[in-house]
Amino acid sequence: FRSNLPKTHLMLGYVYIPAVLIVAPISMVFAQIGAKLSHTMNVKILKTIFGVLLIGISMKIFFFDFIFS
């Protein structure tokens, strides 16, 4: 098995360590903010936002991954 990955000391397999060090703490902070925000929102509005998000993602996958590729 041969990998096309660049040989660098900043990678651990397929994981780029500087990206993990940046993304992980930011995700932890915004997960707490999102949890607090979701508990203060109206349930109907939250379900509507989530539904629109799912429809948008599914349309993106369908049109740009299946049709145009």
Side-chain angles (χ1 to χ4, degrees), residues 29-41:
V29 170
F30 279 97
Q32 293 176 354
I33 293 170
K36 288 179 185 177
L37 181 65
S38 69
H39 284 288
T40 62
M41 289 180 68

Side-chain angles (χ1 to χ4, degrees), residues 3-69:
S3 174
N4 291 333
L5 293 174
K7 304 292 187 228
T8 177
H9 64 282
L10 297 176
M11 294 190 71
L12 185 62
Y14 288 101
V15 179
Y16 187 56
I17 300 300
V20 171
L21 295 176
I22 293 170
V23 171
I26 293 172
S27 297
M28 291 168 53
V29 170
F30 279 97
Q32 293 176 354
I33 293 170
K36 288 179 185 177
L37 181 65
S38 69
H39 284 288
T40 62
M41 289 180 68
N42 184 359
V43 174
K44 187 172 182 172
I45 294 172
L46 191 59
K47 285 183 178 182
T48 303
I49 292 170
F50 187 66
V52 169
L53 179 70
L54 287 179
I55 289 171
I57 291 171
S58 64
M59 288 174 57
K60 186 255 183 215
I61 290 171
F62 180 74
F63 287 113
F64 292 105
D65 291 345
F66 290 135
I67 294 180
F68 295 123
S69 63

